[in-house]
Amino acid sequence: MLVYLARRVVYTIPILLGVSLVCFALVHIAPGDPLVSVLPPDASAELQAQLRALYGFDQPYIVQFLRWLGRALQGDLGTSIASGRSVTTEVVTAVGYTLRIAVLATLIGFFFGSLFGFVAGYYRGSAMDRIASFVSVLGVSVPHYWLGMVLVIIFAAILGWLPPTGKGDESSLWESFRHMILPAVTMSVIPMGIVARTVRALVADILSQEFVVGLRAKGLTDAGIFRHVVKNAAPTALAVMGLQLGYLLGGSILIETVFSWPGTGFVLNNAIFQRDLPLLQGTILVLALFFVILNLLVDMLQTALDPRIQRS
Amino acid sequence: MSAVDIRDLRVTFGGVVRAVDGVTLSIERGEVVALIGESGSGKSVTLRSLMRLHPPRATKMEGTIAVEGRDVLAMTPRALADYRGPIVSMIFQEPLLALDPVYTVGEQIMEIILRHEKVSRKEARARALALFERVRIPSPERRLDAYPHEMSGGMRQRAMIALALACRPKVLLADEPTTALDATVQIQILLLLRELQRDLGLSIIFVTHDLGAAVEVADRIAVMYAGRIVEEGTARELIRNPRHPYTIGLLKSRAHGVMEKGTRLDAIPGAPPDLARLPPGCSFAPRCAAAIESCQIEQPPSFVVEGGHRARCFRWKDAPAQLGAQALGAA
């Protein structure tokens, strides 16, 4: 198990290197001048050159990349052009905010997704199945920013139960939780739909297998068989959940913008519009890192749950 | 009282497929009966009916099934669950598919014990270990913690037998228990079953399409074709003195002794009928070389050949001679 873990950790190095190269390249291929947001429109050519040299934009790309990579390895992702603050600090703060609603959204999505999936899988072809399938398709296909706005209209504007936007007063745990509910619920419909469809297919497949007949032949009741179905479905369902958490960590640009939630999506959005290259690069790299780590964790969990996956 | 008494069992799937069409069979305590026939003859369906393992919504079951005096078709779901395991249990054809892949075999055996008896987990594990020793699994302590995919085919089938015997059933159902195994392992499993049957006084119904395996373990053989028992009798009678043309065909289609290279096996011509559209007369008539006109029109009743030897064939007296069955007995 330890050898397996070590090998998997080593495998992540080339992945991260590739990701950093791709995100560096993407950011630089995009047209536009990174200094446009900090320079006054009438800045002199001299001032432009000076700033360019200060940020290192005058160097060849390969030098820029290696320098950036070297600093990134030491935890320094540069300085945001727009705010002048450390990118690392900005990203870590944003990830913290996104993590909160992403985890909450994944938990909500996983709970309801599994519930719908199990009901649909168990009662295939019934009205319950059709309702559950309809809800899950709706979850995947509805535009989330639209759903966010609808929820704001209903729960904030009309009913006044929950705050519409922002992160709230963070000294009060209850207040900040109330602010998380709407964005998290909006975000949860994505994993909910995907988990529901996955679990439905899994349950249907498991129930059609011969060993379920074997379990009945042992005298197990439906409750006893349910335990087996859950354990058989768990590795795949958890893997899907982990991947969904990874996607959500990227923050939904649209959802975070609708709710003015200061997470990674919000930061990315601002970085793109302000052409804040260091911030953009840094955020993408950190998100990729999270995604890779999460994948690793999911794999470990699957290995622990499913004896058929070789541990060698 | 018989261990198993099936009367005029009819099983229909989806309202059209008559998989079992009037089977009557009784098995005495301590008796081993083999149900033989080709795929789709209804032998496995009959077997699974004894535990009501068919999907209830799509299946219609008529007739009566009594096992150890219990009316199986009248049982409530709860009574049925209590009956499966301690009264009747089943060995499946492919244990790799019939065991849950994510639990160890030990856990699966403990599960059936804990389900039916009030014992501690420790006791259940000790029982599972004793069962593994009983079915002669080497290093049983270690194998209890193995997952099904970590065992060999023969070992898995032994584990499956241990599982089936865990709650000391009175009737054991074996659904082609050796079909998925290597020839040498098949014989070991058959001998093990025979030994366990003798020691524990089990009644066994054994489904197979392998006549050799049937002769090896069974006291009596019932030959099924298109959902009906066409001939039944002691293993000896059936081999020596087959009366139904289908039984004769099965016997002739076996490779026995040393065969010259290039010698053709006598296969039965044609294919089994569509169970959704059975012919009005004898369902074997379209493939039968001895068929006469009445075979096409009317279903033959069960004729008594001698004692418990019965055949559903109008021509049971003279068909064997016509089809050259005498030569088989000598072989």
Side-chain angles (χ1 to χ4, degrees), chain B residues 73-320:
Chain B
L73 297 189
M75 283 178 183
T76 60
R78 185 75 219 179
L80 190 62
D82 289 338
Y83 152 85
R84 292 166 174 165
I87 311 290
V88 184
S89 67
M90 185 176 283
I91 302 169
F92 289 83
Q93 175 173 352
E94 178 42 278
L96 187 59
L97 302 178
L99 293 168
D100 186 331
V102 303
Y103 285 86
T104 64
V105 279
E107 284 168 334
Q108 301 191 51
I109 295 175
M110 286 164 67
E111 185 179 36
I112 185 173
I113 297 171
L114 292 167
R115 159 69 183 84
H116 293 286
E117 292 171 41
K118 286 198 187 330
V119 295
S120 68
R121 287 189 63 83
K122 212 178 145 198
E123 232 172 297
R125 186 170 166 100
R127 286 258 300 271
L129 182 65
L131 284 160
F132 263 31
E133 282 162 0
R134 190 76 187 73
V135 298
R136 289 198 293 277
I137 288 177
S139 29
E141 182 80 50
R142 198 161 51 82
R143 288 283 163 72
L144 276 180
D145 297 321
Y147 289 95
H149 72 276
E150 295 172 334
M151 301 174 110
S152 69
M155 223 41 83
R156 267 199 293 271
Q157 194 55 287
R158 284 174 194 268
M160 181 92 235
I161 294 171
L163 173 78
L165 296 177
C167 291
R168 305 182 182 101
K170 306 212 166 25
V171 178
L172 185 64
L173 309 177
D175 190 359
E176 309 214 22
T178 59
T179 307
L181 303 173
D182 290 344
T184 48
V185 182
Q186 284 188 6
I187 294 165
Q188 294 169 9
I189 296 290
L190 290 177
L191 293 176
L192 175 68
L193 278 176
R194 185 85 235 194
E195 174 197 318
L196 290 167
Q197 184 272 328
R198 242 182 254 126
D199 295 356
L200 306 173
L202 289 167
S203 312
I204 298 184
I205 306 183
F206 177 80
V207 158
T208 181
H209 58 253
D210 180 356
L211 252 173
V215 173
E216 196 70 51
V217 292
D219 302 309
R220 260 188 323 130
I221 295 177
V223 181
M224 285 193 74
Y225 186 81
R228 300 189 187 111
I229 291 177
V230 293
E231 184 165 6
E232 68 171 292
T234 63
R236 199 186 157 83
E237 281 167 338
L238 233 72
I239 300 297
R240 293 267 171 100
N241 186 19
R243 290 293 176 162
H244 196 284
Y246 179 63
T247 314
I248 296 166
L250 279 183
L251 286 166
K252 283 169 85 172
S253 65
R254 291 161 69 208
H256 39 71
V258 184
M259 289 184 76
E260 280 293 310
K261 191 178 171 187
T263 314
R264 289 181 68 92
L265 279 172
D266 287 319
I268 302 171
D274 180 355
L275 295 176
R277 273 172 305 182
L278 286 173
C282 169
S283 37
F284 187 63
R287 300 171 76 183
C288 181
I292 51 172
E293 203 183 326
S294 50
C295 300
Q296 318 281 359
I297 303 161
E298 207 186 326
Q299 264 190 50
S302 190
F303 294 99
V304 176
V305 179
E306 191 187 358
H309 187 182
R310 299 162 151 273
R312 266 182 192 275
C313 179
F314 288 119
R315 303 204 56 220
W316 64 275
K317 279 182 186 151
D318 38 354

Side-chain angles (χ1 to χ4, degrees), chain A residues 122 124 209-221 224 227-228 231-232 305-308 310, chain B residues 48 51 53 78 81 84-85 88 90 92 97-103 108-109 111-112 115-116 147 149 163:
Chain A
Y122 256 93
R124 248 176 318 157
Q209 286 183 36
E210 177 82 347
F211 80 78
V212 175
V213 179
L215 294 174
R216 283 194 210 292
K218 284 163 76 170
L220 292 196
T221 54
R227 201 170 69 98
H228 285 263
K231 191 164 178 193
N232 274 274
L305 284 177
D306 192 334
R308 284 166 299 183
Q310 282 295 319
Chain B
R48 289 182 176 217
M51 287 180 96
L53 288 175
R78 185 75 219 179
R84 292 166 174 165
V88 184
M90 185 176 283
F92 289 83
L97 302 178
L99 293 168
D100 186 331
V102 303
Y103 285 86
Q108 301 191 51
I109 295 175
E111 185 179 36
I112 185 173
R115 159 69 183 84
H116 293 286
Y147 289 95
H149 72 276
L163 173 78

